[in-house]
Amino acid sequence: QAHLVESGGGSVQAGGSLRLSCVASGYTVSSNWVAWFRQAPGKEREGVAAIPAGAGGSTTYGDPVKGRFSISRDNAKNMVYLQMNNLKSEDTAMYYCAAGFSGRGWVLRPASYNYWGQGTQVTVSS
């Protein structure tokens, strides 16, 4: 059974940076797509970034974060990261790591993933 744990969230001022981490157990993060999602109060869960299996594939980003966020993976540590730069107040949300891509649908669609972490809160103040 896959188990994902996120960390690295916190409070930061607008324009600042944070790096989120997701460590997996019972699952190899390099074996399939892994993604980050976020959900703000009263809003639907939104795809932020996704990284494909293996090496050399193209990452995918949601439009609101393109050019500011970067997803990466450390296969040796079985971890996935989300580097977030130039944070804005609208980035405030709970951020979730997801794995176990079903192979159906878009890689930034929440229903496409089977395994989820408990989330880490990011709060950006203006």
Side-chain angles (χ1 to χ4, degrees):
Q1 180 71 19
H3 186 55
L4 306 174
V5 179
E6 303 95 334
S7 61
S11 297
V12 64
Q13 289 194 329
S17 298
L18 283 173
R19 189 177 82 152
L20 305 184
S21 299
C22 171
V23 60
S25 57
Y27 186 87
T28 302
V29 297
S30 60
S31 66
N32 204 340
W33 285 89
V34 176
W36 286 95
F37 291 82
R38 66 186 183 186
Q39 189 166 19
K43 294 189 176 182
E44 292 187 354
R45 193 163 294 192
E46 173 188 36
V48 175
I51 186 166
S58 296
T59 51
T60 301
Y61 296 92
D63 286 342
V65 307
K66 284 180 180 176
R68 300 188 297 122
F69 290 13
S70 177
I71 188 171
S72 62
R73 185 179 62 224
D74 185 328
N75 294 340
K77 295 181 178 179
N78 208 32
M79 293 183 71
V80 176
Y81 305 98
L82 184 68
Q83 178 66 44
M84 306 186 295
N85 298 326
N86 190 21
L87 283 160
K88 305 176 181 181
S89 57
E90 51 263 43
D91 295 319
T92 295
M94 185 72 79
Y95 283 71
Y96 299 91
C97 177
F101 180 60
S102 66
R104 300 192 195 99
W106 190 38
V107 294
L108 289 183
R109 185 175 73 110
S112 297
Y113 291 85
N114 293 310
Y115 308 123
W116 293 83
Q118 83 291 347
T120 186
Q121 177 68 38
V122 172
T123 303
V124 184
S125 57
S126 57

